[in-house]
Amino acid sequence: MNTSARSTARLLGAGLRALLVLTLVCGVLYPLAVTGVAQAAFHDKANGSEVRSEGRVVGSRLIGQRYDLPLKKGRQTPAPDLKWFQPRPSDGLGENSVNTRYKLLVSGATNLSGDSEELLERVAGAKAAVVEDNSTADYKIEPSDVPPDAVTSSASGLDPHISPAYAELQVHRVAERNHLAVERVAELVKRHTDGRVLGFMGEPRVNVLELNIALEELIEKD
């Protein structure tokens, strides 16, 4: 074997050893170390911030859910199940045809401009629906009472929170549908309202999934 061939063989051998070492370190040891630290120090977050009810996982604190009735024949979208607190609209989400158990997997907004006729029509329709759905025999909602998050989706379309104003707007309807006292449902909302982070970052918010779990427990106790 000439010198050039021996040099090429040594380079190939060195490259192969480097590949194996880097694969072991970066592809095995480092991920295992990061996973181990995450599981030890941030177990809840590392597992998706799961929310459990009656011993089973029912969702994540980080991802919004829909609370709809079964889709009726002839309708394109299901009607909301008005016994539950409703989340923000989820416009802009795409559907997948592989895992039909979780249809809404693509996170994103509509990207419609503020003066878009389509967006204005959506907002107007959503506002009318909010007024109609949440007005009861002894409590009438005015269009001016409807907060922005009740009629617009978040940038991700997966926001798990609503504003305290939107949660409070739904109290009378939820109380009527579940035959509960308005005061008890209002207190439930108050207990599940989180303030600003460190007192100054973000806005007060209500996690809809956790609120509905508490509502279910209140219904069962009643």
Side-chain angles (χ1 to χ4, degrees):
M1 181 181 293
N2 58 38
T3 302
S4 177
R6 285 197 294 271
S7 296
T8 300
R10 284 198 296 270
L11 288 174
L12 289 174
L16 180 59
R17 288 193 296 273
L19 175 63
L20 293 175
V21 170
L22 289 173
T23 299
L24 177 64
V25 173
C26 299
V28 179
L29 298 180
Y30 178 72
L32 287 176
V34 171
T35 301
V37 171
Q39 288 293 333
F42 311 101
H43 181 75
D44 178 63
K45 293 181 175 61
N47 288 298
S49 299
E50 295 174 341
V51 176
R52 292 179 175 270
S53 178
E54 298 180 350
R56 62 188 180 90
V57 176
V58 295
S60 169
R61 294 182 183 87
L62 306 177
I63 301 176
Q65 296 187 20
R66 300 295 311 166
Y67 297 87
D68 296 326
L69 295 169
L71 182 63
K72 291 184 178 180
K73 187 176 181 179
R75 290 181 59 102
Q76 292 185 340
T77 57
D81 188 346
L82 297 178
K83 69 177 290 187
W84 304 109
F85 284 94
Q86 293 295 311
R88 296 184 66 170
S90 54
D91 296 329
L93 293 176
E95 295 187 1
N96 81 100
S97 59
V98 178
N99 184 355
T100 55
R101 182 180 176 191
Y102 301 102
K103 290 186 178 180
L104 302 178
L105 288 181
V106 181
S107 171
T110 62
N111 289 329
L112 297 175
S113 64
D115 61 353
S116 165
E117 291 187 7
E118 181 182 348
L119 178 61
L120 294 175
E121 289 177 3
R122 287 187 186 185
V123 170
K127 178 176 284 192
V130 169
V131 170
E132 180 181 357
D133 290 344
N134 290 282
S135 294
T136 65
D138 57 357
Y139 184 77
K140 299 301 179 184
I141 302 293
E142 298 295 333
S144 58
D145 298 331
V146 180
D149 63 305
V151 297
T152 57
S153 62
S154 65
S156 69
L158 300 174
D159 195 341
H161 300 99
I162 57 175
S163 65
Y166 187 28
E168 291 164 4
L169 182 145
Q170 301 183 60
V171 163
H172 284 76
R173 181 255 298 161
V174 170
E176 181 181 75
R177 297 273 176 159
N178 293 288
H179 309 290
L180 297 169
V182 170
E183 294 76 14
R184 297 178 71 186
V185 179
E187 179 61 27
L188 203 65
V189 170
K190 185 177 179 180
R191 291 204 310 267
H192 285 81
T193 299
D194 298 320
R196 292 180 172 87
V197 178
L198 300 179
F200 68 93
M201 291 191 296
E203 295 293 333
R205 61 207 179 280
V206 180
N207 188 289
V208 182
L209 173 59
E210 293 180 341
L211 178 60
N212 277 331
I213 290 174
L215 173 62
E216 184 175 26
E217 293 173 352
L218 180 62
I219 295 170
E220 291 174 353
K221 291 178 181 177
D222 193 62

